[in-house]
Amino acid sequence: MKDKEFLMIPGPTPTPESVLLALAKHPIGHRTPEFSKIFEEVTEGLKWIFQTKQDVYTFASSGTGAMEAAIYNTINSGDKILCLVGGKFGQRWGEIARMKGAIVDTLDVEWGKPLNVNSLKDILDADKNKEYKAVCITHNETSTGVTNDLESIAKVVKEHGALIIVDAITSLGAIDLPFDKWGIDIAASGSQKGFMLPPGLAFIALSDKAWKAVEQCNSPGYYFNLVAAKKNLLKNTTPYTPAVNMFVALKIALNMMQDEGLENIFKRHATLAACVRAAVPPMGLKLFVDDVNARSNSITAICPPEGLNADDFRKSVKKHFDISMAGGQDHLKGKIFRIGHLGFCAPRDILATISCMEISLATLGFDIEFGKGCAAANKTLFDLTKE
């Protein structure tokens, strides 16, 4: 059926109708009091999401733009940093830093496993001369469905004294990340995930300690320049032309999120994830992440039955039901598929997806007892939401 496609990927995520309508309005001038008022309200809303008293800066880009801003505004050529890598997006920190001329070491873990806090502590304890200027981490690894223990990792990094720089692109707005409480120095995120918007905006928050590094940076770049962004933020504007309608839509989305409340947002995502995880074994599938404490509440990675290519399964679901799910990346291509359940996602979306997955498995010739996956999800939903 035309125009019936539904996104169950880690991003872009579904967008509320009220947000889409805001995008359809005629743009307003970006150097006007009207825009400055929207900009001010949005900035305060972002501080609420980040759980910080620090200012939050917005760029017209994807979340990767905020990651680049984090590195290019704090790291000088020749600085030494440590990147914690457990998936495709953990690798990105090192790729950006190397382009800036940094000396990059990595702490690697097998994809699908959480980062080991003790291993990190051993590395940082051995850094007697405090050569590491920063430690970069992906809070929620989108490519594998692993949520790392950021609170514990941040504590170890703070004891060392390095900056802790966080990719929060698929965690912010879905998984608890109290920026100030955990002592995060820099966190980067994007609009197309938990914020319920299309791609186009990137957000970044910095601690006072991170700002000292910004002041010592000798080549921050032109567009992703945080000094320029800070100067303009004082006037409730941006250095260069912003994505005006995206700011208008972001205001609507933030109002929706504030109406729901942070605790309820986190609870909803945890409930959706639990429903998906409960449905997987009864359908003859397997969760990719074995560690129950590391399984993400914003995305679930799943292994198909033996003999079935994950991409063939995704194509079947898309062909018959117009539901899009994400595939595996790099060496996991064809071996896993990923269901996104973040942002503007509700139990109805999860239950419909699971039902369609059962039918698709049967269509592909696998022995499925219809309703077992759905029943497990239904029971989980009932148990977690009953009064």
Side-chain angles (χ1 to χ4, degrees):
M1 184 180 291
K2 186 178 179 180
D3 295 335
K4 200 65 176 177
E5 181 178 5
F6 191 75
L7 296 174
M8 292 300 293
I9 59 178
T13 57
T15 305
E17 183 176 338
S18 56
V19 173
L20 293 173
L21 290 173
L23 290 168
K25 292 182 178 179
H26 196 282
I28 61 174
H30 64 286
R31 302 300 188 210
T32 62
E34 291 81 8
F35 178 76
S36 291
K37 185 175 186 300
I38 293 170
F39 186 92
E40 183 178 15
E41 292 179 12
V42 162
T43 299
E44 288 302 310
L46 289 171
K47 291 164 69 173
W48 175 76
I49 291 288
F50 276 82
Q51 301 180 63
T52 183
K53 294 180 180 179
Q54 304 289 343
D55 287 322
V56 180
Y57 303 88
T58 304
F59 293 102
S61 75
S62 68
T64 303
M67 294 174 68
E68 181 165 310
I71 296 295
Y72 271 65
N73 284 268
T74 61
I75 303 299
N76 291 314
S77 180
D79 284 344
K80 191 174 181 179
I81 70 170
L82 177 64
C83 294
L84 312 184
V85 180
K88 182 74 171 178
F89 296 97
Q91 293 175 340
R92 186 164 296 182
W93 281 124
E95 293 167 358
I96 295 171
R98 289 185 187 97
M99 293 188 73
K100 185 67 192 289
I103 299 168
V104 178
D105 289 341
T106 62
L107 170 58
D108 296 89
V109 296
E110 181 183 347
W111 288 27
K113 307 291 184 185
L115 295 164
N116 189 296
V117 180
N118 291 328
S119 296
L120 171 62
K121 183 171 177 20
D122 289 342
I123 292 173
L124 295 181
D125 285 348
D127 182 28
K128 301 298 184 183
N129 295 326
K130 308 295 182 183
E131 294 183 15
Y132 286 123
K133 186 173 183 178
V135 175
C136 299
I137 177 178
T138 301
H139 183 201
N140 188 81
E141 180 51 70
T142 312
S143 64
T144 64
V146 168
T147 300
N148 289 298
D149 184 1
L150 180 58
E151 182 178 13
S152 297
I153 289 170
K155 182 179 179 181
V156 169
V157 176
K158 282 173 67 67
E159 290 172 353
H160 171 276
L163 294 171
I164 179 161
I165 304 177
V166 180
D167 167 358
I169 293 175
T170 50
S171 60
L172 200 71
I175 300 168
D176 195 16
L177 199 173
F179 184 92
D180 289 351
K181 181 180 178 181
W182 286 356
I184 306 301
D185 290 307
I186 303 179
S189 194
S191 60
Q192 74 276 24
K193 311 289 186 175
F195 287 88
M196 308 183 294
L197 291 165
L201 295 179
F203 315 113
I204 183 169
L206 296 88
S207 69
D208 291 336
K209 180 180 176 181
W211 272 110
K212 291 180 181 178
V214 172
E215 292 165 0
Q216 297 167 2
C217 184
N218 54 32
S219 56
Y222 187 83
Y223 182 76
F224 293 111
N225 188 302
L226 286 168
V227 172
K230 185 174 186 177
K231 180 180 178 181
N232 281 267
L233 186 71
L234 296 173
K235 299 180 288 186
N236 289 317
T237 188
T238 58
Y240 317 110
T241 305
V244 173
N245 282 41
M246 284 291 288
F247 274 91
V248 176
L250 176 58
K251 178 185 172 183
I252 302 297
L254 286 170
N255 288 341
M256 291 178 63
M257 296 175 79
Q258 288 172 324
D259 287 342
E260 185 175 5
L262 277 179
E263 291 304 318
N264 288 330
I265 289 173
F266 301 147
K267 182 179 179 181
R268 171 168 57 84
H269 284 85
T271 297
L272 298 177
C275 290
V276 172
R277 292 194 287 260
V280 167
M283 289 191 286
L285 308 172
K286 181 181 180 297
L287 293 166
F288 179 62
V289 179
D290 293 326
D291 187 337
V292 296
N293 296 314
R295 291 171 180 165
S296 169
N297 284 342
S298 60
I299 171 180
T300 298
I302 302 171
C303 303
E306 186 175 350
L308 176 60
N309 183 287
D311 291 340
D312 291 338
F313 176 62
R314 290 193 305 115
K315 290 174 184 177
S316 177
V317 176
K318 180 69 170 64
K319 175 183 177 181
H320 296 290
F321 301 105
D322 228 350
I323 297 175
S324 294
M325 300 184 295
Q329 296 176 294
D330 289 358
H331 63 281
L332 295 179
K333 184 174 177 60
K335 297 180 180 179
I336 66 168
F337 63 94
R338 297 172 293 142
I339 296 177
H341 35 77
L342 73 161
F344 191 55
C345 190
R348 178 185 62 187
D349 307 321
I350 299 299
L351 298 178
T353 299
I354 291 168
S355 178
C356 294
M357 286 169 61
E358 288 189 335
I359 298 171
S360 292
L361 285 167
T363 301
L364 291 167
F366 287 85
D367 186 16
I368 291 294
E369 185 176 337
F370 287 115
K372 287 191 72 174
C374 293
N378 289 340
K379 179 66 165 58
T380 301
L381 178 64
F382 176 77
D383 289 341
L384 292 176
T385 58
K386 63 184 178 182
E387 302 254 325

